[in-house]
Short mmCIF file of all heavy atoms in Angstrom, two decimals:
data_model
loop_
_atom_site.label_atom_id
_atom_site.label_comp_id
_atom_site.label_asym_id
_atom_site.label_seq_id
_atom_site.Cartn_x
_atom_site.Cartn_y
_atom_site.Cartn_z
N GLN X 8 148.88 -78.26 140.83
CA GLN X 8 149.03 -79.59 141.30
C GLN X 8 147.86 -80.47 140.73
O GLN X 8 146.82 -79.91 140.50
CB GLN X 8 149.10 -79.70 142.78
CG GLN X 8 150.32 -79.08 143.41
CD GLN X 8 150.34 -79.27 144.90
OE1 GLN X 8 149.42 -79.28 145.64
NE2 GLN X 8 151.61 -79.59 145.42
N PRO X 9 148.11 -81.69 140.67
CA PRO X 9 146.99 -82.60 140.20
C PRO X 9 145.73 -82.44 141.06
O PRO X 9 145.85 -82.28 142.36
CB PRO X 9 147.51 -84.02 140.37
CG PRO X 9 148.98 -83.83 140.20
CD PRO X 9 149.32 -82.49 140.78
N GLY X 10 144.58 -82.31 140.44
CA GLY X 10 143.43 -82.10 141.20
C GLY X 10 142.95 -80.59 141.21
O GLY X 10 141.89 -80.27 141.70
N GLY X 11 143.87 -79.72 140.80
CA GLY X 11 143.63 -78.31 140.85
C GLY X 11 142.82 -77.86 139.66
O GLY X 11 142.37 -78.61 138.78
N SER X 12 142.56 -76.54 139.65
CA SER X 12 141.78 -75.91 138.58
C SER X 12 142.36 -74.65 138.05
O SER X 12 143.20 -74.05 138.67
CB SER X 12 140.42 -75.50 139.22
OG SER X 12 139.66 -76.54 139.73
N LEU X 13 142.11 -74.38 136.80
CA LEU X 13 142.56 -73.19 136.18
C LEU X 13 141.48 -72.68 135.28
O LEU X 13 140.60 -73.47 134.81
CB LEU X 13 143.72 -73.42 135.29
CG LEU X 13 145.09 -73.65 135.94
CD1 LEU X 13 146.14 -74.11 134.89
CD2 LEU X 13 145.55 -72.40 136.66
N ARG X 14 141.39 -71.35 135.09
CA ARG X 14 140.44 -70.72 134.15
C ARG X 14 141.31 -70.02 133.06
O ARG X 14 141.93 -68.98 133.43
CB ARG X 14 139.50 -69.81 134.82
CG ARG X 14 138.37 -69.32 134.00
CD ARG X 14 137.63 -68.14 134.61
NE ARG X 14 136.38 -67.80 133.86
CZ ARG X 14 135.72 -66.61 133.95
NH1 ARG X 14 136.27 -65.68 134.72
NH2 ARG X 14 134.60 -66.46 133.33
N LEU X 15 141.26 -70.48 131.90
CA LEU X 15 141.95 -69.81 130.82
C LEU X 15 141.04 -68.84 130.17
O LEU X 15 139.82 -69.03 129.99
CB LEU X 15 142.43 -70.89 129.77
CG LEU X 15 143.14 -72.12 130.33
CD1 LEU X 15 143.59 -73.00 129.16
CD2 LEU X 15 144.38 -71.70 131.17
N SER X 16 141.69 -67.76 129.66
CA SER X 16 140.98 -66.75 128.95
C SER X 16 141.59 -66.45 127.56
O SER X 16 142.82 -66.72 127.37
CB SER X 16 141.12 -65.39 129.75
OG SER X 16 140.37 -65.56 131.00
N CYS X 17 140.74 -66.08 126.64
CA CYS X 17 141.23 -65.77 125.33
C CYS X 17 140.55 -64.39 124.91
O CYS X 17 139.29 -64.39 124.67
CB CYS X 17 140.83 -66.84 124.32
SG CYS X 17 141.14 -66.55 122.57
N ALA X 18 141.35 -63.41 124.84
CA ALA X 18 140.85 -62.07 124.48
C ALA X 18 140.96 -61.88 123.03
O ALA X 18 142.06 -61.98 122.46
CB ALA X 18 141.56 -60.96 125.18
N ALA X 19 139.87 -61.57 122.34
CA ALA X 19 139.86 -61.46 120.87
C ALA X 19 139.72 -59.91 120.44
O ALA X 19 139.04 -59.18 121.13
CB ALA X 19 138.75 -62.24 120.26
N SER X 20 140.41 -59.58 119.43
CA SER X 20 140.29 -58.26 118.84
C SER X 20 140.32 -58.34 117.34
O SER X 20 140.84 -59.25 116.76
CB SER X 20 141.35 -57.34 119.46
OG SER X 20 142.65 -57.78 119.09
N GLY X 21 139.74 -57.35 116.70
CA GLY X 21 139.77 -57.25 115.28
C GLY X 21 138.53 -58.04 114.63
O GLY X 21 138.43 -57.99 113.34
N PHE X 22 137.90 -58.81 115.41
CA PHE X 22 136.68 -59.55 114.89
C PHE X 22 135.83 -59.88 116.12
O PHE X 22 136.27 -59.85 117.20
CB PHE X 22 137.06 -60.79 114.11
CG PHE X 22 137.68 -61.90 115.07
CD1 PHE X 22 136.89 -62.98 115.32
CD2 PHE X 22 138.91 -61.80 115.56
CE1 PHE X 22 137.29 -63.99 116.10
CE2 PHE X 22 139.36 -62.88 116.37
CZ PHE X 22 138.58 -63.93 116.67
N ALA X 23 134.63 -60.40 115.85
CA ALA X 23 133.69 -60.76 116.89
C ALA X 23 133.61 -62.24 117.01
O ALA X 23 133.43 -62.96 116.15
CB ALA X 23 132.32 -60.25 116.62
N LEU X 24 133.91 -62.72 118.29
CA LEU X 24 133.90 -64.16 118.52
C LEU X 24 132.50 -64.65 118.22
O LEU X 24 132.39 -65.85 117.83
CB LEU X 24 134.27 -64.46 120.00
CG LEU X 24 135.70 -64.28 120.39
CD1 LEU X 24 135.78 -64.50 121.93
CD2 LEU X 24 136.57 -65.20 119.68
N GLY X 25 131.47 -63.88 118.45
CA GLY X 25 130.13 -64.39 118.17
C GLY X 25 129.81 -64.65 116.75
O GLY X 25 128.77 -65.31 116.48
N ASP X 26 130.67 -64.25 115.87
CA ASP X 26 130.39 -64.47 114.40
C ASP X 26 131.06 -65.76 113.92
O ASP X 26 130.98 -66.12 112.74
CB ASP X 26 130.98 -63.34 113.63
CG ASP X 26 130.24 -62.03 113.80
OD1 ASP X 26 129.04 -62.08 114.25
OD2 ASP X 26 130.82 -60.91 113.46
N HIS X 27 131.71 -66.52 114.81
CA HIS X 27 132.40 -67.72 114.44
C HIS X 27 132.13 -68.85 115.39
O HIS X 27 131.62 -68.65 116.55
CB HIS X 27 133.92 -67.54 114.48
CG HIS X 27 134.42 -66.46 113.52
ND1 HIS X 27 134.35 -65.11 113.77
CD2 HIS X 27 135.05 -66.64 112.38
CE1 HIS X 27 134.87 -64.45 112.79
NE2 HIS X 27 135.32 -65.31 111.89
N ALA X 28 132.31 -70.11 114.88
CA ALA X 28 132.56 -71.16 115.78
C ALA X 28 133.91 -70.91 116.42
O ALA X 28 134.81 -70.45 115.86
CB ALA X 28 132.56 -72.50 114.96
N ILE X 29 134.03 -71.29 117.70
CA ILE X 29 135.26 -71.00 118.46
C ILE X 29 135.63 -72.28 119.16
O ILE X 29 134.80 -73.17 119.53
CB ILE X 29 135.08 -69.86 119.39
CG1 ILE X 29 133.84 -69.99 120.23
CG2 ILE X 29 135.06 -68.61 118.63
CD1 ILE X 29 133.65 -68.91 121.28
N ALA X 30 136.88 -72.40 119.52
CA ALA X 30 137.38 -73.66 120.07
C ALA X 30 138.64 -73.41 120.92
O ALA X 30 139.37 -72.43 120.76
CB ALA X 30 137.68 -74.68 119.01
N TRP X 31 138.89 -74.35 121.81
CA TRP X 31 140.11 -74.52 122.49
C TRP X 31 140.88 -75.75 121.98
O TRP X 31 140.32 -76.79 121.94
CB TRP X 31 139.94 -74.61 124.04
CG TRP X 31 139.59 -73.28 124.69
CD1 TRP X 31 138.34 -72.81 125.03
CD2 TRP X 31 140.51 -72.29 125.16
NE1 TRP X 31 138.42 -71.67 125.63
CE2 TRP X 31 139.72 -71.31 125.72
CE3 TRP X 31 141.94 -72.21 125.07
CZ2 TRP X 31 140.36 -70.11 126.28
CZ3 TRP X 31 142.51 -71.06 125.56
CH2 TRP X 31 141.73 -70.01 126.11
N PHE X 32 142.15 -75.59 121.73
CA PHE X 32 143.04 -76.73 121.34
C PHE X 32 144.07 -76.78 122.35
O PHE X 32 144.37 -75.86 123.08
CB PHE X 32 143.63 -76.53 119.99
CG PHE X 32 142.67 -76.74 118.87
CD1 PHE X 32 141.71 -75.74 118.53
CD2 PHE X 32 142.74 -77.81 118.06
CE1 PHE X 32 140.84 -75.92 117.48
CE2 PHE X 32 141.93 -78.02 116.95
CZ PHE X 32 141.00 -77.05 116.68
N ARG X 33 144.78 -77.91 122.40
CA ARG X 33 146.04 -78.03 123.20
C ARG X 33 147.09 -78.82 122.42
O ARG X 33 146.64 -79.72 121.68
CB ARG X 33 145.75 -78.60 124.59
CG ARG X 33 145.29 -80.07 124.64
CD ARG X 33 144.92 -80.47 125.97
NE ARG X 33 144.50 -81.87 126.06
CZ ARG X 33 143.99 -82.47 127.17
NH1 ARG X 33 143.89 -81.71 128.24
NH2 ARG X 33 143.66 -83.74 127.16
N GLN X 34 148.31 -78.65 122.78
CA GLN X 34 149.41 -79.35 122.13
C GLN X 34 150.47 -79.66 123.23
O GLN X 34 151.08 -78.73 123.74
CB GLN X 34 149.95 -78.63 120.95
CG GLN X 34 150.99 -79.43 120.14
CD GLN X 34 151.32 -78.79 118.81
OE1 GLN X 34 151.07 -77.54 118.63
NE2 GLN X 34 151.72 -79.59 117.85
N ALA X 35 150.70 -80.93 123.41
CA ALA X 35 151.75 -81.36 124.32
C ALA X 35 152.99 -81.59 123.50
O ALA X 35 152.90 -81.78 122.28
CB ALA X 35 151.36 -82.61 125.03
N PRO X 36 154.19 -81.50 124.15
CA PRO X 36 155.45 -81.77 123.39
C PRO X 36 155.44 -83.04 122.62
O PRO X 36 155.13 -84.12 123.19
CB PRO X 36 156.46 -81.71 124.48
CG PRO X 36 155.89 -80.91 125.60
CD PRO X 36 154.43 -81.19 125.54
N GLY X 37 155.82 -82.97 121.39
CA GLY X 37 155.84 -84.21 120.54
C GLY X 37 154.59 -84.79 120.07
O GLY X 37 154.56 -85.82 119.49
N LYS X 38 153.49 -84.10 120.34
CA LYS X 38 152.16 -84.56 119.93
C LYS X 38 151.44 -83.57 118.98
O LYS X 38 151.82 -82.44 118.97
CB LYS X 38 151.29 -84.82 121.20
CG LYS X 38 151.88 -85.92 122.15
CD LYS X 38 150.91 -86.21 123.26
CE LYS X 38 151.38 -87.33 124.11
NZ LYS X 38 150.41 -87.64 125.22
N GLU X 39 150.46 -84.06 118.30
CA GLU X 39 149.60 -83.25 117.48
C GLU X 39 148.70 -82.39 118.24
O GLU X 39 148.37 -82.71 119.37
CB GLU X 39 148.87 -84.11 116.45
CG GLU X 39 149.71 -84.96 115.48
CD GLU X 39 150.50 -84.06 114.52
OE1 GLU X 39 149.97 -83.00 114.13
OE2 GLU X 39 151.55 -84.42 114.23
#
């Protein structure tokens, strides 16, 4: 609901996250 919270996780394998710049993106329907 509006005002609520979530914690998203991203589990990586095959490489080390610490060796890269890392980011979160989002895409809504019909948008870039």
Side-chain angles (χ1 to χ4, degrees):
Q8 292 187 324
S12 298
L13 286 172
R14 190 192 192 200
L15 308 183
S16 299
C17 173
S20 59
F22 74 103
L24 286 174
D26 293 339
H27 295 79
I29 50 176
W31 284 97
F32 287 74
R33 67 185 181 187
Q34 188 166 23
K38 296 185 178 180
E39 296 294 323

